Amino acid sequence: MSLRALYLSGAPRLSTRDSTESLGPRSHILGVLFAFRRAGIEVDELIVGDRSPAAFTQQGAEARLSRSWLTVLATDVLRLAYRFRNQLLARRMLSTGPYDFVYERYSLFQSLGSVRRKPVEWILEVNALLAIEATSERRATTSRAIAKWVEGRTFRKADRIVAVTESLREQIASVYGVDSARIEVVANGVDVQPGQRRAPESLKRIGFLGALYEWQNLDALIGALTLPGLRHLNIDIAGDGPQRAHLEHLAAKLGVDDRVVFHGRVHPDRVQEFLSTVDLCYAGHDSSNGAYFSPLKLWEYLAAGRPIVASMHQVTTELSEEGFAVITFQGRSADHVGAVLLRIKDEYAALSKVAAESVDRVRESFSWDARLAPLVRSITAKHHGG
């Protein structure tokens, strides 16, 4: 007998619509859903963002909702209102069961799975400590204290927690006192698309994919174009966000605006097409609170068969040590990024070949099916005894 699950996502801004502003969460939600279904699990879903007005999910929504203290306060009130509405919706869906477990993507101020009744298991997926991230990396809530209280209570009530990295697992345990034995690590994955394994022989174009936030450290990448030995390079930026106007101004100020192309938001179906046009991919995350340790773009870059230049943290270090074409740097200045680009320029042909030849390893080890397989086995063993 197959398992039956209810997938929950309570964030009003996170949607699986093609038009969503939050493409990373969209990819993650769909990746998990499809992997569960391919594993033979019957999955119903309650994704609040898919029911939200388009104004909440489309491009520019976050900037509008965080424009001032009053708009952030209004957003907090909205989240709390959604909390009770969403829990009612989840309770109604659960009443149509039976379900073996609910799997919830954790969202700020939301705890839809808390309405389940035993023996239904509540598995809570955590991608970041949002109470901290939302008050340091972004301006998404007016009260860290309230957000942390709700977050800690939610984490402690869940039957088990899924964290995207070992570092995040340690954070959850240390910040909220959650027993680490209840926290499993399921790293981000990717669906590898079939295509030509082109291995460019020279470095000319650097690509970036993602939302344009300050912590992406694109300032340093753009600044590196002015350094001797790197003035032949061009940058293609696929994405939009709060930092776009600043980055466009910076490129013009430095006199490199003719070498930096802002493509805007790329449709999800065209991500791999975009990545096929660049020679090297950039992931310069610089998070002060450690919330961003496993950006989805890393796996998308690897699946495209492209070398990566990335800031040094647990995940990128491990990828480099495992022989993937990931070159890391420390520091956040243009000089730090430029130094590693100069090194890559001299080694590029060999690095590009390694990246192209690693795509099969990416499919075998980093696909959503591979990532979720241990969790699926443990759920099956718990509910079906084997």
Side-chain angles (χ1 to χ4, degrees):
M1 184 175 65
S2 65
L3 293 168
R4 187 181 181 194
L6 177 60
Y7 183 98
L8 302 170
S9 173
R13 286 196 57 251
L14 302 188
S15 170
T16 62
R17 298 168 182 151
D18 287 350
S19 60
T20 184
E21 180 177 45
S22 304
L23 292 177
R26 175 187 184 273
S27 295
H28 199 286
I29 291 170
L30 292 177
V32 171
L33 281 172
F34 293 158
F36 275 151
R37 287 168 178 155
R38 286 191 295 264
I41 299 174
E42 180 185 349
V43 186
D44 297 325
E45 58 194 64
L46 171 56
I47 300 172
V48 172
D50 287 349
R51 303 176 178 221
S52 298
F56 286 3
T57 62
Q58 289 181 343
Q59 191 64 46
E62 182 172 7
R64 291 192 298 273
L65 295 174
S66 61
R67 185 168 51 244
S68 68
W69 185 86
L70 286 176
T71 59
V72 177
L73 178 62
T75 302
D76 277 343
V77 173
L78 177 69
R79 285 196 186 98
L80 291 172
Y82 263 87
R83 175 185 175 90
F84 297 108
R85 170 182 173 272
N86 295 344
Q87 288 181 341
L88 179 60
L89 289 171
R91 187 176 283 111
R92 287 175 179 170
M93 290 195 71
L94 285 166
S95 69
T96 68
Y99 289 97
D100 295 292
F101 67 98
V102 296
Y103 185 96
E104 180 174 3
R105 180 188 173 98
Y106 169 64
S107 307
L108 198 64
F109 290 125
Q110 306 300 312
S111 59
L112 282 65
S114 63
V115 303
R116 61 71 179 91
R117 293 183 178 178
K118 301 287 189 178
V120 177
E121 184 181 21
W122 177 22
I123 302 173
L124 186 67
E125 174 196 286
V126 180
N127 293 274
L129 299 188
L130 294 181
I132 298 174
E133 182 261 1
T135 51
S136 58
E137 306 292 341
R138 300 180 291 130
R139 183 171 64 175
T141 183
T142 55
S143 175
R144 174 180 285 199
I146 295 175
K148 283 191 69 175
W149 181 82
V150 174
E151 187 163 274
R153 187 168 183 267
T154 301
F155 290 177
R156 287 187 288 270
K157 288 180 68 176
D159 294 310
R160 96 170 96 167
I161 292 174
V162 167
V164 293
T165 68
E166 181 62 35
S167 296
L168 182 56
R169 177 177 181 267
E170 293 170 0
Q171 282 186 313
I172 294 169
S174 63
V175 174
Y176 292 113
V178 177
D179 182 358
S180 58
R182 291 176 45 228
I183 309 171
E184 301 175 42
V185 175
V186 177
N188 288 334
V190 67
D191 286 319
V192 181
Q193 302 298 320
Q196 184 178 1
R197 311 287 177 79
R198 182 177 71 92
E201 295 183 359
S202 62
L203 174 57
K204 297 177 181 177
R205 309 198 72 84
I206 302 173
F208 170 84
L209 175 71
L212 307 186
Y213 291 109
E214 183 178 358
W215 42 260
Q216 301 280 17
N217 201 23
L218 285 165
D219 299 62
L221 179 62
I222 293 173
L225 294 187
T226 65
L227 300 177
L230 298 178
R231 290 172 181 159
H232 66 292
L233 294 180
N234 298 275
I235 299 173
D236 287 275
I237 296 175
D240 216 328
Q243 283 280 295
R244 177 165 178 170
H246 162 73
L247 294 170
E248 290 176 332
H249 175 74
L250 175 64
K253 179 181 177 182
L254 296 177
V256 297
D257 48 318
D258 60 331
R259 295 159 54 202
V260 182
V261 179
F262 291 86
H263 294 268
R265 181 186 178 278
V266 172
H267 189 279
D269 292 342
R270 297 189 61 193
V271 165
Q272 291 300 307
E273 178 185 336
F274 165 75
L275 294 177
S276 71
T277 67
V278 302
D279 307 313
L280 177 75
C281 296
Y282 179 78
H285 294 69
D286 181 53
S287 174
S288 60
N289 62 65
Y292 296 95
F293 275 121
S294 186
L296 272 168
K297 63 174 58 62
L298 283 174
W299 317 115
E300 292 175 318
Y301 293 167
L302 289 170
R306 291 293 176 268
I308 301 171
V309 59
S311 54
M312 182 180 291
H313 51 73
Q314 181 192 17
V315 173
T316 55
T317 299
E318 288 175 354
L319 287 171
S320 180
E321 291 174 348
E322 290 169 8
F324 289 95
V326 179
I327 306 299
T328 62
F329 65 89
Q330 289 183 292
R332 55 170 295 115
S333 71
D335 287 337
H336 290 117
V337 175
V340 74
L341 288 176
L342 286 169
R343 172 187 162 194
I344 290 173
K345 184 181 71 169
D346 295 335
E347 305 171 356
Y348 181 76
L351 197 64
S352 177
K353 184 178 179 182
V354 169
E357 292 176 347
S358 297
V359 174
D360 287 337
R361 287 179 63 198
V362 174
R363 178 184 290 107
E364 293 168 4
S365 301
F366 303 149
S367 70
W368 284 112
D369 291 352
R371 292 299 205 190
L372 284 164
L375 178 65
V376 169
R377 286 195 294 269
S378 70
I379 293 172
T380 302
K382 177 172 182 174
H383 293 279
H384 288 168

